[in-house]
C-alpha cells in the first residue's frame, strides 16, 4: 500500500526527489512543470556528494531539466532524453557500460508510456472500458524493462532497484478518467517494488508514503538520511528489511493536492490506522476503510465522527508542520 505524495507529476516528482512534502516544496509553475527553488536538495545531489556517479534518463525535458532548468536534474552528471522506454533503456545501459570510474552509481529513469495510455490505445466506442487499454500500456512497459534488468544483472555489481510511479489514473472511478482531480486511491495508490541486498522477497501490507522514498534509498545505501526540515518523509527502509513487517494499520501516508493555475482546489489525504481521510477544500471530510473498500465507495464519515475528528487532528498537525521551506 504505497501512496504517491500528490496526484500530479509536477508535485509528486519534486517531493519524491527531495523527501519534502508537496505542501512545502517551494517553486513556481512553468507550463506543466514546477521550477524547484534551489534551496531544495535533490537526492542525486546527496549521492553525488557521497562520491557516486550519477545519471538520469528522462522522457521529457520540460519536466526534468532541459532549457527551462526546472531543477529536477540537479546533481546528475549525465542526463539523456528519449520519449520511448526502449530508447531510455539503451541510453542507460550504454552509460553504465561506459562508466568505468569504479564509483557506485545512482541512476534514475522516468518512463512516459503510461501517461498517454488513452492515445496509445484509443477507445473502441462510447461504452469503452478504459481499464483494459490502460493495462495494455502497462504490459508494454513491463516487457520493455526486461533488457534493462538483464543489463543490470550482467554488470556483476550489487544493485538496489526501486520501481514506482508519481501518480495513478482515475480510469472512470469517481468521475475522473485521468488524474490531477482528486485524492482517491485510483490517483494516489501506486505500485512500489524494491529489490536489493538484505531485502526479503514478499508482499508488504504496511502503508508507506513516497515522500519517504529518498530517505529510504539513502538508508538502503548505508547513509543516514537527514530529518526535518531537510526531509519530511520518514524512511521505510526498516520496513523493507524487517523479518516481519509492521501490521497494515501501523503505517501512515500523507498526500497533498496543491491548488495552482491548472488545479482549481487543494486537498489533503491521510492514511493511518487502517483508514483513509480525504479533505478537499470546500467539501466535508470523507472517511474510508481503504482495505475493505479499495474503490472508496462507502464513506464512513457519518458513522464514525470520533474517528474522523481524530484523523482530522492528525492531518491538521501535518498541515501545521508544512511551513514554507
Amino acid at each position: 500500500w504505497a501512496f504517491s505524495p500528490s496526484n500530479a507529476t509536477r508535485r509528486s516528482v519534486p517531493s519524491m526527489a527531495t523527501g519534502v512534502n508537496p505542501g512545502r516544496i517551494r517553486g513556481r509553475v512553468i507550463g506543466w512543470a514546477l521550477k524547484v527553488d534551489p534551496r531544495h536538495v535533490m537526492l542525486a545531489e546527496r549521492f553525488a556528494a557521497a562520491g557516486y556517479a550519477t545519471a538520469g534518463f528522462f522522457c521529457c525535458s520540460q519536466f526534468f531539466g532541459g532549457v527551462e532548468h526546472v531543477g529536477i536534474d540537479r546533481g546528475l552528471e549525465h542526463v539523456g532524453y528519449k520519449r520511448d522506454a526502449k530508447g531510455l533503456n539503451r541510453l542507460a545501459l550504454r552509460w553504465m557500460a561506459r562508466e568505468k570510474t569504479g564509483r557506485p552509481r545512482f541512476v534514475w529513469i522516468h518512463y512516459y508510456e503510461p501517461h498517454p495510455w488513452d492515445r496509445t490505445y484509443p477507445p473502441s466506442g462510447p461504452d469503452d472500458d478504459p481499464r483494459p487499454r490502460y493495462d495494455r500500456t502497462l504490459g508494454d512497459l513491463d516487457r520493455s524493462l526486461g533488457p534493462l534488468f538483464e543489463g543490470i544483472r550482467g554488470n556483476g555489481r550489487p544493485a538496489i532497484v526501486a520501481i514506482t510511479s508519481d501518480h495513478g489514473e482515475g480510469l472512470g472511478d469517481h468521475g475522473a478518467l485521468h488524474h490531477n482531480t482528486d485524492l482517491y486511491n485510483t490517483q494516489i495508490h501506486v505500485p512500489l517494488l524494491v529489490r536489493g541486498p538484505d531485502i526479503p522477497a514478499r508482499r508488504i501490507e504496511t502503508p508507506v508514503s513516497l515522500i519517504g522514498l529518498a530517505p529510504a534509498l539513502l538508508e538502503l545505501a548505508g547513509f543516514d538520511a537527514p530529518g526535518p526540515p531537510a526531509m519530511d518523509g520518514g524512511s521505510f527502509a526498516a520496513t523493507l528489511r524487517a523479518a516481519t513487517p509492521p501490521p497494515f494499520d501501523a503505517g501512515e501516508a500523507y498526500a497533498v493536492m496543491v491548488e495552482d493555475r491548472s488545479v482549481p482546489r487543494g486537498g489533503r489525504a491521510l492514511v493511518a490506522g487502517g483508514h483513509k481521510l480525504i479533505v478537499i477544500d470546500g467539501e466535508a471530510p470523507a472517511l474510508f476503510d481503504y482495505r475493505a473498500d479499495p474503490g472508496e465507495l462507502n464513506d464512513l464519515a457519518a458513522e464514525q465522527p470520533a474517528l474522523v475528528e481524530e484523523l482530522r487532528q492528525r492531518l491538521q498537525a501535518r498541515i501545521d508542520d508544512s511551513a514554507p521551506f
Side-chain angles (χ1 to χ4, degrees):
W1 284 94
F3 292 87
S4 60
S6 189
N7 57 354
T9 296
R10 68 172 168 270
R11 301 298 179 178
S12 277
V13 166
S15 180
M16 292 161 63
T18 61
V20 176
N21 87 59
R24 287 210 313 128
I25 297 280
R26 301 299 93 189
R28 57 189 176 92
V29 175
I30 295 181
W32 292 103
L34 185 73
K35 192 178 183 75
V36 180
D37 191 296
R39 288 174 290 182
H40 294 292
V41 180
M42 298 295 160
L43 179 61
E45 293 180 281
R46 299 188 186 279
F47 276 113
Y52 277 58
T54 59
F57 304 96
F58 304 121
C59 64
C60 325
S61 62
Q62 67 268 34
F63 272 107
F64 296 94
V67 296
E68 297 290 353
H69 301 290
V70 297
I72 298 296
D73 58 353
R74 292 201 302 264
L76 297 171
E77 300 171 1
H78 181 87
V79 177
Y81 297 103
K82 283 287 184 181
R83 200 68 159 180
D84 64 295
K86 291 181 180 178
L88 282 177
N89 291 341
R90 283 195 297 270
L91 289 178
L93 291 172
R94 191 178 304 148
W95 177 82
M96 285 189 276
R98 291 176 178 173
E99 214 299 305
K100 302 292 188 182
T101 64
R103 294 178 291 169
R105 296 180 297 214
F106 171 80
V107 182
W108 178 7
I109 307 175
H110 188 99
Y111 300 101
Y112 184 66
E113 275 80 354
H115 212 280
W117 60 273
D118 57 334
R119 297 193 298 276
T120 305
Y121 295 107
S124 58
D127 298 324
D128 178 81
D129 181 357
R131 285 171 176 78
R133 294 190 285 131
Y134 188 64
D135 288 347
R136 286 182 67 186
T137 307
L138 297 183
D140 293 344
L141 178 59
D142 186 58
R143 283 185 291 275
S144 73
L145 295 177
L148 177 70
F149 296 149
E150 288 300 324
I152 293 172
R153 277 192 287 265
N155 224 293
R157 296 168 66 173
I160 299 165
V161 178
I163 305 172
T164 190
S165 178
D166 53 306
H167 60 74
E169 294 286 272
L171 302 178
D173 281 1
H174 300 279
L177 185 61
H178 298 292
H179 59 279
N180 210 18
T181 59
D182 60 57
L183 293 172
Y184 290 111
N185 281 346
T186 44
Q187 294 193 32
I188 64 170
H189 176 211
V190 295
L192 173 64
L193 299 92
V194 184
R195 176 68 183 268
D198 303 321
I199 300 176
R202 72 281 175 84
R203 181 185 295 271
I204 296 176
E205 300 282 334
T206 314
V208 297
S209 169
L210 293 187
I211 301 172
L213 178 64
L217 291 177
L218 285 172
E219 289 196 13
L220 290 173
F223 303 107
D224 290 329
M231 284 185 170
D232 298 317
S235 167
F236 47 78
T239 298
L240 294 172
R241 287 171 163 163
T244 303
F248 78 89
D249 57 355
E252 186 169 303
Y254 176 59
V256 183
M257 183 166 65
V258 181
E259 180 180 352
D260 60 30
R261 67 188 187 201
S262 59
V263 180
R265 56 184 181 168
R268 287 172 170 80
L270 181 70
V271 177
H275 288 83
K276 178 180 171 190
L277 182 72
I278 302 176
V279 180
I280 303 295
D281 294 349
E283 295 185 5
L287 178 70
F288 301 98
D289 182 332
Y290 67 89
R291 282 165 52 92
D293 178 26
E296 296 165 311
L297 302 176
N298 183 24
D299 184 357
L300 304 174
E303 302 173 19
Q304 301 189 50
L307 181 56
V308 169
E309 180 58 22
E310 176 190 337
L311 293 180
R312 191 196 63 77
Q313 290 181 14
R314 292 173 68 172
L315 184 62
Q316 186 60 50
R318 288 274 197 157
I319 297 171
D320 291 344
D321 288 341
S322 294
F325 194 84

